[in-house]
Amino acid sequence: MSEPYVPFPDAIHWFELSSDVPPEIVDWLLEMGSMTRRFEQFCAKVSVTPQRECFIEPDQLSKEEAEQLPPSERYWLREIVLFGDGQPWLLGRTVIPLETLTGPDQALVDLGTLPLGRYLFSGDHLSRDYIYLGQQAQHWARRSRLRLSDKPLLLTEIFLPASPVYRSLPASSISKPKND
């Protein structure tokens, strides 16, 4: 029996300054290495359940996504839930222009239950242009534009309440989103 589809949330508020985010959270959101590896320090098993994997047309991108990726005829979309010891820790959305899916990087369309970080951080051809910090309702989020052999992809991650990201925060910081 498959898991029910969890739609990726809209309306992430992106912060201009990292000082708008509690320092304990900034440390997690600005992680430059593999988030999968960092999560593995807090559980026995990290697993991924794909929610949606398909090619999409340019008009199916959000305005923000379209502004951060080069124009393409199609994009590979992968939405997942990442679990730590069976607890949902992260919603992930990866958008990859067709032009990025060349050579060995065609494997990105066949990741299935493999965490994206396992693929991305297994070689030495990865760089990161930026990380934006944000919040969606009470959940912290980040967005990165990564490059594989200088070819872009966009990764958005929303950290769910069971995630270790929240373990060092006072309860009052978890339940109240910041306002503009």
Side-chain angles (χ1 to χ4, degrees):
M1 187 168 153
S2 66
E3 298 288 324
Y5 172 66
V6 178
F8 202 85
D10 293 322
I12 297 174
H13 169 75
W14 299 106
F15 295 101
E16 289 190 29
L17 304 171
S18 63
S19 60
D20 293 332
V21 180
E24 307 84 14
I25 299 296
V26 168
D27 178 63
W28 276 92
L29 299 183
L30 291 181
E31 172 64 52
M32 294 302 286
S34 167
M35 188 61 69
T36 301
R37 285 190 194 129
R38 186 153 182 192
F39 278 155
E40 287 173 332
Q41 298 171 23
F42 294 86
C43 67
K45 182 180 180 193
V46 167
S47 60
V48 166
T49 300
Q51 298 291 296
R52 186 173 166 209
E53 295 181 295
C54 61
F55 280 102
I56 60 172
E57 302 297 317
D59 64 352
Q60 293 175 280
L61 297 177
S62 73
K63 181 181 176 200
E64 290 175 339
E65 289 171 332
E67 290 171 351
Q68 295 173 55
L69 288 169
S72 182
E73 179 184 319
R74 297 186 311 163
Y75 298 84
W76 179 251
L77 172 69
R78 181 176 192 241
E79 293 179 343
I80 60 94
V81 179
L82 184 141
F83 295 84
D85 292 336
Q87 295 293 314
W89 281 3
L90 179 138
L91 295 178
R93 177 179 168 99
T94 308
V95 181
I96 307 170
L98 185 62
E99 293 75 10
T100 297
L101 301 170
T102 58
D105 297 328
Q106 290 175 5
L108 287 165
V109 300
D110 294 317
L111 292 179
T113 59
L114 182 72
L116 179 66
R118 289 236 198 293
Y119 180 86
L120 294 178
F121 290 91
S122 65
D124 58 357
H125 301 287
L126 180 70
S127 63
R128 190 184 309 259
D129 291 341
Y130 56 77
I131 299 176
Y132 292 154
L133 310 183
Q135 196 169 30
Q136 189 276 326
Q138 75 274 22
H139 306 115
W140 291 102
R142 74 179 192 163
R143 174 172 283 156
S144 300
R145 186 172 58 210
L146 301 158
R147 292 186 180 272
L148 279 170
S149 302
D150 205 36
K151 300 176 294 185
L153 63 98
L154 194 63
L155 173 61
T156 304
E157 300 161 298
I158 297 176
F159 297 87
L160 300 174
S163 166
V165 170
Y166 301 102
R167 292 189 182 161
S168 60
L169 267 186
S172 61
S173 298
I174 296 171
S175 60
K176 294 180 184 175
K178 291 188 176 219
N179 295 325
D180 294 34

